[in-house]
Amino acid sequence: YQEEIQELNEVARHRPRSTLVMGIQQENRQIRELQQENKELRTSLEEHQSALELIMSKYREQMFRMLMASKKDDPSIIMKLKEQHSKV
């Protein structure tokens, strides 16, 4: 028992219990703040990904239309483009 108490005291560096409790409370506050920041960053990332997906979708649609307009003479290219667009 004495050995275990001694080991615990060494780990605690002989600090009073109130100091240890205050340190733990401060760490808990920091952890909660970091968790909140992490949640906000994750939400922001999801919003940015959504916006980027929308932008890329519109870009692909415009490119498809431009290629369709420029390749009206070749029906095989139009079919290939339609297949690729439907896959995307």
Side-chain angles (χ1 to χ4, degrees):
Y1 174 77
Q2 289 297 330
E3 288 176 12
E4 288 183 25
I5 294 293
Q6 187 176 5
E7 286 178 29
L8 288 174
N9 283 335
E10 287 175 13
V11 169
R13 297 184 190 136
H14 300 288
R15 291 183 285 181
R17 184 169 189 246
S18 61
T19 305
L20 292 174
V21 170
M22 284 178 27
I24 291 171
Q25 288 174 342
Q26 184 178 5
E27 286 178 10
N28 284 342
R29 247 183 274 119
Q30 290 173 341
I31 289 171
R32 275 188 249 114
E33 289 172 2
L34 289 171
Q35 287 173 333
Q36 181 62 31
E37 183 180 358
N38 194 17
K39 183 179 177 182
E40 292 169 4
L41 288 170
R42 189 173 286 121
T43 301
S44 178
L45 176 63
E46 289 170 0
E47 290 173 358
H48 281 83
Q49 285 176 331
S50 266
L52 187 57
E53 287 173 11
L54 176 64
I55 291 167
M56 289 306 297
S57 172
K58 294 292 183 180
Y59 171 77
R60 288 184 198 108
E61 188 177 312
Q62 289 295 327
M63 291 304 294
F64 178 74
R65 287 181 183 164
M66 285 176 54
L67 287 172
M68 291 287 283
S70 68
K71 302 294 181 185
K72 284 185 179 178
D73 299 333
D74 191 352
S76 65
I77 292 178
I78 293 173
M79 290 304 293
K80 287 179 185 177
L81 290 173
K82 283 182 181 178
E83 289 173 9
Q84 288 175 351
H85 184 66
S86 64
K87 288 178 184 177
V88 171

